[in-house]
Amino acid sequence: MEQQIIVSYTRSAFGMVLNVLQEMRLKQWTKNLLVFASAIFAGEILNPGILLNAVIAFLSFSFMASTIYIINDIVDVEKDRLHPEKCSRPISAGTISVPLAICVGFLTFCIALTCAFFLNYYVFIAVLVYFILNLSYSLYLKHVVIVDVMIIAAGFVLRAVTGALAVGGMLTSWFILCTLGLSLFLALGKRRHELVLLKNNSDSQRKVLSFYSIELIDQLMSIITAVLIMFYSMYASSENPMMMLTIPFVLYGVFRYYYLIHMKDAGGKPEEILINDRHILLTVLLFSISVVAVLKFM
């Protein structure tokens, strides 16, 4: 009898841990890989010290992102229960209580700031700004048309900037503009996916969606696609003439993602596309290798 109680308790505890990890959305940590961009473009990603700092910055942003996810799920718990996908999240599904979620969120918040402070003061400030910006988004700014997309994009830019601050990398205007263009591209793709998924019920799930239309987002994405490619081409040509060899990878990656958004109704979860679409994953890997090879050996 006692052994059965121990087994039952162990299973319950293990299940709770799995629910907590699900709520932290570890899959979405792939978005924070952008902090490695500065080290990659500097050709120093293979330097052990640089790589370690980049990993710590990655963990800092990842735990802070989990904090934001938890806060957002607590705020939107009632709406998420009506959403076809979000209803399965632990808080909205009731597998994690709100008090427990608050405790986990506080823990991830402390870990994130500790990691950031370990690197340097500037990284600490950048991660804190990311938290404040996303907290404002969760509480209000996500309901403001256009601003909501720009806030999401700003979060990606902060990731790239923080990566540079963590490894002592150089920040150029073209690098920031490339990151901004890619961020807006991904954010608009996410909004388009939500409109397609929710169709006529979009305003009941997210008020700001009532101000968008698929036609409007398609036009904005066309603009951003052209701008993104132009930004990267200008960056590559100004950084190193040989960097222009990496442009085909960028072209294919953007076009492939554009194809998935419009033909497969994807785009809602960029992190899952990166993991599940072999074309995108291979393109990212080849692009990263080619950048390091060009900057390190050419």
Side-chain angles (χ1 to χ4, degrees), residues 180-241:
L180 178 61
L182 177 62
S183 305
L184 287 171
F185 179 76
L186 295 175
L188 288 169
K190 182 178 178 64
R191 283 291 177 266
R192 189 184 192 280
H193 175 79
E194 290 174 336
L195 281 173
V196 172
L197 178 66
L198 299 174
K199 296 181 180 178
N200 296 328
N201 296 321
S202 59
D203 57 337
S204 64
Q205 296 294 325
R206 193 187 292 271
K207 293 181 180 179
V208 74
L209 292 178
S210 63
F211 297 102
Y212 288 106
S213 68
I214 292 179
E215 292 76 15
L216 171 63
I217 292 182
D218 284 346
Q219 291 180 21
L220 293 176
M221 289 196 70
S222 296
I223 296 171
I224 290 300
T225 300
V227 168
L228 171 59
I229 293 172
M230 181 190 70
F231 281 164
Y232 184 78
S233 299
M234 295 298 291
Y235 169 76
S237 60
S238 63
E239 183 72 18
N240 182 333

Side-chain angles (χ1 to χ4, degrees), residues 145-194:
V145 65
I146 302 299
V147 172
D148 64 317
V149 174
M150 296 185 71
I151 293 296
I152 295 174
F156 282 96
V157 174
L158 271 174
R159 288 173 171 91
V161 171
T162 301
L165 294 173
V167 302
M170 293 293 293
L171 281 173
T172 66
S173 56
W174 285 121
F175 177 75
I176 294 176
L177 287 172
C178 287
T179 305
L180 178 61
L182 177 62
S183 305
L184 287 171
F185 179 76
L186 295 175
L188 288 169
K190 182 178 178 64
R191 283 291 177 266
R192 189 184 192 280
H193 175 79
E194 290 174 336

Side-chain angles (χ1 to χ4, degrees), residues 230-289:
M230 181 190 70
F231 281 164
Y232 184 78
S233 299
M234 295 298 291
Y235 169 76
S237 60
S238 63
E239 183 72 18
N240 182 333
M242 296 301 294
M243 276 285 287
M244 296 185 70
L245 295 174
T246 65
I247 293 178
F249 294 112
V250 174
L251 287 173
Y252 180 78
V254 171
F255 291 162
R256 174 69 184 180
Y257 199 90
Y258 205 89
Y259 164 80
L260 293 174
I261 288 174
H262 287 80
M263 303 304 295
K264 303 295 184 180
D265 290 332
K269 298 179 179 179
E271 68 282 357
E272 290 191 0
I273 291 180
L274 174 62
I275 295 173
N276 297 328
D277 187 80
R278 290 177 296 177
H279 296 268
I280 292 290
L281 181 59
L282 182 60
T283 301
V284 171
L285 291 175
L286 291 177
F287 170 76
S288 300
I289 293 172

